[in-house]
Each structure stands twice: as structure tokens, then as C-alpha cells.
Amino acid sequence: MDRTEKREFVASLATVFAKTSMVIVTRNDGLNVADVTELRRRVRAAGATYKVAKNRLADLALAGTQFEGIKPLLKGPTSISWADEPVAVAKVLVEFAKTNEKLVLLGGSLGSQTLNVEGIKALAELPSLDVLRAQLVGLISTPATRIAGVLQAPGGQLARVFGAYAKTGEAA
């Protein structure tokens, strides 16, 4: 990379850091091409981005952003993943790290809050945004279903009484 490419890369990464809500730093020591390709595919499917960046350039891009707390993590062969929906990227990285010991979670940042490895794992255990929305809709629709059932019960009872009375009238 020449100087202009480095400046453009730092500027684009700084723009990403200004817009995103979650950044996770991992150590990717010894991952082969097939593993990295599979990891990138999974991360992309979750709506996130996985990038191997020079630590010095990433450090420059972090300056002045809410993610400055992750600067100490940028040592050695590291990679950065980010997403607007924090749970999805955390789930993918934690799952991949369980099956491949060469990917090591170092930490991350959710907004200005710096997270350690346990924080990332706890975040990965939370339900995704879509699941939370579905649960909320379910909670909202349950009372309406119960109200409809209560309102239908007296009408059903009246219909059964009239039906029984009609049967007794036919028998007589």
C-alpha cells in the first residue's frame, strides 16, 4: 500500500466506525484460506463485516471515535468485525471460535462501552432483534386473543342452550 491508499483506507475505516454500533476484535493466528472464507461468508450472512487490517491503520481510524477503548487489543495478527446489529455478529464469531481454536476473541466495544471476552459471549447468548420483535408481537397479540375468546364464550353458551331447548321442543 502506498500513502494515498493508506489514507483512503483509514478514512473509509473511520467512516465505518462513525456509523456502526458494534466492533469486535479477534486474533486470527493460523487461520487458513478455507477457514477465513467460511468465516467471512457466515459474518456476511449475519449482516456484518469481517476485515483484517493493519493495527497501525486501524489505530489511526479509531482516533476520535467512540471505539477508542479497543486500541489496546490491536496487537499481533488481529481482525475487526462490525455490524449495526450487535447480537448477530457476536453470535457468529462466538460459534466459529468454538469450532475453530485458531480464532480467538479478544474483546470489543458496544458503542462507547468496552467489552471483554465474557461480555461478547454474553451478548451472543441474547436473542436476535428479529426474535425479540416476534416475542413482542406475541405478547401484544395474546391479550387480544384472550379477549376474543372471553367475548365468544357467552355467545357459544347461548347457542348451546338454544340448541338444547330446540331439541327438547322437537322431542315433545
Side-chain angles (χ1 to χ4, degrees), residues 11-126:
S12 69
L13 206 53
T15 303
V16 166
F17 291 148
K19 292 180 181 178
T20 192
S21 64
M22 174 74 173
V23 175
I24 298 177
V25 180
T26 55
R27 172 158 292 128
N28 55 349
D29 196 17
L31 285 176
N32 60 30
V33 174
D35 291 338
V36 172
T37 303
E38 177 63 20
L39 177 60
R40 286 181 196 271
R41 186 188 63 73
R42 289 185 190 180
V43 168
R44 199 174 315 119
T49 305
Y50 174 86
K51 189 101 174 146
V52 177
K54 290 188 178 236
N55 292 336
R56 185 171 157 354
L57 298 179
D59 193 21
L60 290 172
L62 286 169
T65 67
Q66 60 184 346
F67 302 112
E68 284 187 282
I70 64 171
K71 281 184 180 183
L73 302 175
L74 298 174
K75 291 184 175 83
T78 58
S79 57
I80 302 170
S81 301
W82 64 84
D84 290 329
E85 213 253 287
V87 175
V89 69
K91 280 183 191 263
V92 170
L93 292 174
V94 167
E95 282 179 25
F96 194 84
K98 285 180 184 176
T99 60
N100 193 331
E101 67 277 351
K102 293 178 182 175
L103 181 75
V104 179
L105 297 170
L106 297 178
S109 183
L110 180 59
S112 60
Q113 178 69 39
T114 304
L115 301 172
N116 59 9
V117 176
E118 288 77 26
I120 301 291
K121 289 180 179 178
L123 190 63
E125 292 174 3
L126 293 175

Side-chain angles (χ1 to χ4, degrees), residues 5-18:
E5 289 175 329
K6 288 179 182 178
R7 276 192 219 116
E8 290 172 2
F9 180 77
V10 169
S12 69
L13 206 53
T15 303
V16 166
F17 291 148

